[in-house]
Amino acid sequence: MTQATPRIVVTGMGTYNPLGHNAQTTWENVVNGRSGVGPITHFDARDYKTRIAAEVKDFDAEALFGRKEARRMSRATQLALAAATQALADAALTITPANQDRIGVVVGSGMGSLDPIVDALETLQTRGPQRVSPFFVPMMLADTPAAQISIAHGLCGPNLAVYTACATGNNAIGEAASIIRRGTADVMLAGGTEACILPLAFAGFGVIGAMSMRNEEPQRASRPFDKTRDGFVTGEGAAILVLESLAHAQARAATIYAELLGYGSSADAYHISMPAENGAGAVKAMRHALDDAGLTPAAVDYVNAHGTGTQLNDKAETAAIKTLFGDRAYQLPVSSTKSMHGHLLGAAGALEAIICIQALRHCLIPPTINYETPDPNCDLDYVPNTARPANLRVIMSNGFGLGGHNATLILGKFSPKNRPLTADDRL
């Protein structure tokens, strides 16, 4: 992004996640340090090393879509469509034949729709090829969540899926903003969805030792940056933002929650599962995002960390923040809300963007809960255990994924006349 118009603003938010079925409930649970982690209920996990997860509670797809339609969608698609519908209602955006060609969708996932694949394979093996559902292929395709949102709401603008592992949510939002900036759309729905609390996914993550095995105390299991961390806690859910050009939002007198100031993306080009040494790729994404926003590191008031709770990721991200911010890194608040909602993989960045927007609105930094034992390799201010009041104007939010994908967003408090920064903060 550049300083040139159009400016991109957020006018709607929708989410179903382990902490709530909307942005406000989610925020209330975040600032109160509540955990959404518990024993797995989606399947019998007694034989698995990890038996805990951050599940979306009381999600009734049949009540939302009807039994027939719900059965024709994967859980990831159900969550995405529910969150998108909520976001559109929150934005008070009416879709008409006059505007539908200028409204699009960018929604992705990390793992995709695994449940129809697993179900279809079982049917194939036990009942034969003719009994596989005719809805299997459209249910499992990577683009189906975005497609179903488009179909349900008559959105005829650009429509695509982003799949960059755990960077997906940030990439989807950043790429959607780019579409608006180049004039192809006025409004974009953007975010991520994930629903992989399934035996196959847990078997895969389990054999590489990526997940926490703190099964006896699930609410204390996700502990980013803590010395005793032993892996991430898998979460599920969806988060969708409505992005608009400022001119379009003002023309319809929309409520503006925040401004998307910058977006940066990079690749480690290093290893399929380990971050680049000292977070070199992450540094590039963060610098690109600041350059895109026309800001220096001095403008950033808080960093919402990727902060998964794995040994390597937390160490690398801490090193990256130190590289970018220098000595100021030790005065800069950094926290990971994954300590509460778990790691939503492809939906994580979008959910964390919503939390960052709420932080800007309420001038309150969300905590990193379960931070008890300092790690010499992770020695920054992680806002331990209690939310902290602060004069927040600019927030950096990171998302890093397997394969070396890095994506950073810069979100700012909206000001109608100019951006909420001092002249000294600008490049």
Side-chain angles (χ1 to χ4, degrees):
M1 298 175 194
T2 67
Q3 293 286 72
T5 54
R7 292 164 64 183
I8 307 299
V9 295
V10 179
T11 59
M13 300 182 288
T15 182
Y16 285 77
N17 68 77
L19 295 179
H21 288 191
N22 55 63
Q24 184 57 36
T25 301
T26 300
W27 174 247
E28 290 169 1
N29 284 323
V30 164
V31 297
N32 285 292
R34 299 187 181 117
S35 172
V37 182
I40 293 172
T41 65
H42 289 355
F43 66 93
D44 184 350
R46 73 182 71 181
D47 294 330
Y48 292 76
K49 292 181 179 179
T50 294
R51 300 185 295 278
I52 56 174
E55 299 177 341
V56 177
K57 289 82 172 172
D58 303 318
F59 179 71
D60 189 344
E62 291 188 9
L64 290 170
F65 310 118
R67 184 170 184 269
K68 182 178 178 181
E69 288 303 313
R71 292 183 63 187
R72 294 178 178 180
M73 290 186 278
S74 70
R75 184 170 173 87
T77 298
Q78 293 169 352
L79 289 163
L81 181 55
T85 301
Q86 186 182 103
L88 281 170
D90 185 49
L93 183 64
T94 302
I95 313 302
T96 70
N99 68 12
Q100 65 181 171
D101 290 352
R102 301 282 300 173
I103 305 173
V105 183
V106 182
V107 171
S109 179
M111 300 287 283
S113 293
L114 282 181
D115 44 330
I117 297 173
V118 172
D119 292 344
L121 179 60
E122 181 180 2
T123 299
L124 175 65
Q125 293 175 332
T126 59
R127 302 174 65 190
Q130 301 306 314
R131 301 307 298 270
V132 172
S133 169
F135 299 103
F136 162 61
V137 171
M139 284 174 67
M140 56 79 66
L141 289 175
D143 68 316
T144 296
Q148 288 283 25
I149 292 169
S150 169
I151 292 166
H153 296 287
L155 311 179
C156 300
N159 187 283
L160 59 148
V162 173
Y163 274 71
T164 52
C166 306
T168 294
N170 280 4
N171 279 134
I173 293 167
E175 296 301 325
S178 298
I179 289 171
I180 297 173
R181 276 211 163 87
R182 68 174 181 251
T184 310
D186 298 315
V187 182
M188 294 292 295
L189 277 68
T193 187
E194 203 72 71
C196 64
I197 302 176
L198 299 163
L200 179 61
F202 270 63
F205 281 131
V207 296
I208 61 174
M211 296 186 297
S212 173
M213 293 183 286
R214 198 180 286 257
N215 297 306
E216 303 310 314
E217 42 184 7
Q219 295 189 343
R220 299 181 67 235
S222 183
R223 39 204 316 112
F225 304 109
D226 187 272
K227 186 177 182 179
T228 65
R229 64 191 184 276
D230 69 332
F232 69 84
V233 174
T234 301
E236 64 173 354
I240 306 293
L241 280 67
V242 177
L243 306 180
E244 296 187 50
S245 69
L246 176 58
H248 188 274
Q250 289 177 326
R252 68 181 192 88
T255 297
I256 296 174
Y257 292 125
E259 182 171 358
L260 180 59
L261 299 172
Y263 163 57
S265 184
S266 73
D268 285 355
Y270 175 72
H271 191 275
I272 195 64
S273 60
M274 293 190 297
E277 191 172 353
N278 296 321
V283 174
K284 293 174 184 177
M286 291 188 285
R287 281 181 173 153
H288 292 329
L290 286 170
D291 289 347
D292 200 28
L295 302 175
T296 68
V300 177
D301 299 309
Y302 158 62
V303 175
N304 179 272
H306 185 56
T308 59
T310 64
Q311 288 290 332
L312 288 178
N313 175 85
D314 292 1
K315 178 182 176 182
E317 186 170 13
T318 297
I321 292 169
K322 290 179 183 178
T323 298
L324 181 66
F325 291 95
D327 291 341
R328 183 170 177 261
Y330 291 96
Q331 285 76 51
L332 183 65
V334 177
S335 73
S336 172
T337 57
K338 289 183 178 71
S339 58
M340 292 168 279
H341 53 65
H343 191 354
L344 271 64
L345 308 179
L351 174 58
E352 288 158 26
I354 288 175
I355 292 170
C356 287
I357 290 167
Q358 296 283 52
L360 285 166
R361 297 178 67 211
H362 296 279
C363 288
L364 199 59
I365 300 173
T368 305
I369 69 167
N370 300 322
Y371 184 83
E372 298 169 341
T373 308
D375 180 348
N377 293 311
C378 300
D379 56 351
L380 301 179
D381 174 8
Y382 301 112
V383 193
N385 303 308
T386 304
R388 181 185 303 169
N391 180 24
L392 297 177
R393 303 166 304 154
V394 176
I395 292 176
M396 171 182 284
S397 186
N398 289 330
F400 311 132
L402 293 180
H405 303 285
N406 307 299
T408 296
L409 301 176
I410 307 292
L411 293 154
K413 186 169 288 187
F414 174 68
S415 172
K417 293 184 178 180
N418 49 52
R419 298 193 175 169
L421 312 164
T422 69
D424 290 340
D425 291 328
R426 296 187 181 276
L427 289 174

